[in-house]
């Protein structure tokens, strides 16, 4: 009663059946490569999280102790930059900390005078065999460690309009909103089931092997990631996420990104105006990396990108 039915692979001619088999085998190979790539990316994330948090936390604790012991009127040390956003990766990230000072104690001091007091306190208390350089800039005091880490300390005072840091002239205080970008990144990360922050860390790990002039700095990359994933609806595995980030960044890096924190007009002001030569060079490098990711047919390509090959 049943009969053999009609259609299906059993009724295909030999050429069509061979084509179907090849397609199935190719899909299986791609699936296997994707699984292997996601495995090595997940391993790199574990390594990054374990290695970097220990070194950064040790230095930050030492700095906090030195400041509290030497400077009166310190309210608190507010970790910012990639540390606060949990996107820190050695060699690429910024480590910023806001030193919140009591307004009553520092109302009569200029930002420059405050930074001088901060530098003196650090020079007298930090272990100089590890903290090999302590220097003051226009906005912050930077501590450079023997292991390569640099930590920037930005003096800030609490005013009616919120926190204020040194203005670009160094002579006055400028109101900022340091939480604005962190909140925006946190929302995008939550909307993407927590997959954005790992993608940023993987991208930073890959970019650590690139020349500084050809890669976005830590904050800039995070801003590019927000733009990449605000309306993203693709797969959320590490390979897909980091590939999309590079592909999107190659396009978006050509235009300046406003700094929502108020610390500067643009996140990426050092690259110049829209479609500048610096932006075009960086865009091309990001595009090459994205193309290698999309066209890779083996895990060796990814191992090379990660610096493991």
């Amino acid at each position: 009663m049943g009969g053999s039915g009609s259609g299906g692979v059993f009724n295909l001619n030999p050429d069509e059946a061979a084509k179907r088999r090849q397609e199935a085998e190719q899909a299986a190979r791609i699936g296997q490569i994707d699984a292997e790539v996601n495995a090595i990316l997940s391993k790199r994330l574990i390594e990054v999280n374990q290695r970097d948090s220990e070194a950064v936390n040790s230095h930050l604790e030492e700095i906090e102790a030195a400041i509290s012991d030497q400077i009166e009127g310190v309210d608190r040390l507010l970790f910012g930059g990639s540390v606060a956003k949990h996107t820190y990766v050695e060699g690429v990230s910024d480590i910023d900390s806001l030193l919140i000072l009591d307004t009553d104690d520092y109302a009569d001091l200029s930002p420059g005078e405050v930074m001088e007091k901060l530098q003196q306190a650090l020079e007298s208390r930090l272990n100089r065999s590890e903290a090999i350089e302590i220097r003051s800039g226009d906005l912050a005091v930077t501590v450079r460690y023997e292991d390569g880490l640099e930590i920037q300390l930005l003096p800030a005072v609490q005013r009616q309009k919120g926190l204020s840091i040194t203005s670009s002239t160094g002579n006055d205080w400028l109101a900022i909103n340091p939480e604005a970008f962190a909140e925006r990144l946190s929302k995008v990360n939550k909307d993407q089931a927590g997959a954005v922050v790992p993608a940023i860390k993987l991208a930073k790990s890959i970019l650590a092997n690139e020349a500084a002039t050809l890669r976005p700095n830590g904050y800039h990359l995070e801003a590019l990631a927000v733009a990449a994933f605000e309306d993203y609806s693709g797969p959320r595995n590490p390979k897909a996420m980091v590939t999309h980030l590079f592909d999107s960044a190659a396009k978006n890096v050509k235009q300046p990104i406003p700094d929502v924190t108020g610390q500067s007009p643009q996140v990426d002001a050092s690259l110049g105006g829209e479609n500048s030569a610096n932006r075009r060079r960086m865009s091309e490098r990001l595009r090459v990396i994205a193309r290698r990711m999309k066209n890779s047919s083996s895990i060796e390509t990814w191992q090379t990108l990660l610096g493991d090959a």
Side-chain angles (χ1 to χ4, degrees), residues 181-213:
F181 179 76
E183 291 171 356
R184 187 175 173 189
L185 174 58
S186 179
K187 181 181 184 303
V188 172
N189 187 54
K190 182 179 180 181
D191 291 344
Q192 295 295 340
V196 174
V197 166
I200 292 172
K201 286 192 170 188
L202 287 170
K204 288 183 176 182
S205 186
I206 290 169
L207 289 169
N209 302 309
E210 299 292 331
T213 56

Side-chain angles (χ1 to χ4, degrees), residues 223-261:
L224 290 168
V226 168
F229 292 113
E230 279 184 319
D231 298 315
Y232 178 72
S233 59
R236 291 172 177 159
N237 61 72
K239 178 177 181 287
M241 293 288 287
V242 75
T243 300
H244 177 72
L245 175 51
F246 273 91
D247 192 37
S248 172
K251 304 179 183 73
N252 291 332
V253 77
K254 294 181 180 181
Q255 297 181 343
I257 301 176
D259 188 351
V260 297
T261 70

Side-chain angles (χ1 to χ4, degrees), residues 25-308:
E25 291 171 356
Q26 177 68 8
R29 282 195 297 271
I30 293 173
Q32 179 63 29
I33 292 171
D34 283 352
E36 292 175 352
V37 169
N38 281 316
I40 64 172
L41 292 176
S42 296
K43 181 182 178 182
R44 172 57 61 90
L45 277 172
I46 293 172
E47 294 171 352
V48 165
N49 290 335
Q50 290 177 342
R51 180 184 66 240
D52 297 334
S53 60
E54 293 176 1
V56 172
N57 288 337
S58 174
H59 293 324
L60 289 175
E61 288 173 3
E62 180 188 18
I63 287 174
E64 187 171 18
I67 294 171
S68 301
D69 184 56
Q70 291 288 304
I71 299 181
E72 294 183 1
V74 173
D75 187 335
R76 64 193 185 278
L77 193 63
L78 180 65
F79 299 142
S82 57
V83 175
K85 290 169 282 190
H86 309 291
T87 59
Y88 176 79
V89 172
E90 182 180 359
V92 181
S93 295
D94 51 338
I95 309 174
D96 296 334
S97 295
L98 291 175
L99 178 64
I100 314 301
L101 302 169
D102 190 312
T103 306
D104 294 335
D105 292 339
Y106 292 88
D108 297 330
L109 295 181
S110 70
E113 291 171 326
V114 172
M115 284 199 286
E116 184 178 353
K117 289 173 65 73
L118 175 57
Q119 181 172 359
Q120 290 173 353
L122 294 170
E123 287 177 342
S124 66
R125 289 289 296 167
L126 291 181
N127 181 350
R128 298 310 303 277
S129 64
E130 295 181 358
I132 58 177
E133 182 183 9
I134 301 172
R135 65 182 186 274
S136 292
D138 293 334
L139 300 177
V141 176
T142 299
V143 181
R144 181 168 66 90
Y145 281 88
E146 187 180 25
D147 60 11
L149 291 179
E150 286 197 0
I151 297 177
Q152 290 187 328
L153 300 165
L154 286 74
V157 292
Q158 189 79 44
R159 296 189 162 189
Q160 290 182 346
K161 294 183 179 180
L163 287 175
S164 294
I165 63 169
T166 308
S167 67
S168 58
T169 65
N171 299 321
D172 203 354
W173 298 98
L174 173 70
I176 62 169
N177 182 9
E179 292 85 10
F181 179 76
E183 291 171 356
R184 187 175 173 189
L185 174 58
S186 179
K187 181 181 184 303
V188 172
N189 187 54
K190 182 179 180 181
D191 291 344
Q192 295 295 340
V196 174
V197 166
I200 292 172
K201 286 192 170 188
L202 287 170
K204 288 183 176 182
S205 186
I206 290 169
L207 289 169
N209 302 309
E210 299 292 331
T213 56
L214 295 177
R215 70 188 188 204
N217 65 28
Y219 182 19
H220 187 191
L221 181 63
E222 291 159 7
L224 290 168
V226 168
F229 292 113
E230 279 184 319
D231 298 315
Y232 178 72
S233 59
R236 291 172 177 159
N237 61 72
K239 178 177 181 287
M241 293 288 287
V242 75
T243 300
H244 177 72
L245 175 51
F246 273 91
D247 192 37
S248 172
K251 304 179 183 73
N252 291 332
V253 77
K254 294 181 180 181
Q255 297 181 343
I257 301 176
D259 188 351
V260 297
T261 70
Q263 292 184 219
S264 60
Q266 298 167 352
V267 169
D268 50 354
S270 63
L271 294 179
E274 182 176 351
N275 208 35
S276 67
N278 288 334
R279 292 183 184 279
R280 292 197 302 272
R281 282 193 292 270
M282 188 174 290
S283 172
E284 175 60 19
R285 186 57 193 153
L286 294 173
R287 186 183 67 81
V288 168
I289 294 173
R291 187 172 64 236
R292 291 180 65 190
M293 291 175 173
K294 288 188 286 187
N295 296 339
S296 65
S297 58
S298 68
I299 63 169
E300 283 74 18
T301 298
W302 287 86
Q303 289 172 330
T304 300
L305 288 171
L306 290 167
D308 293 337

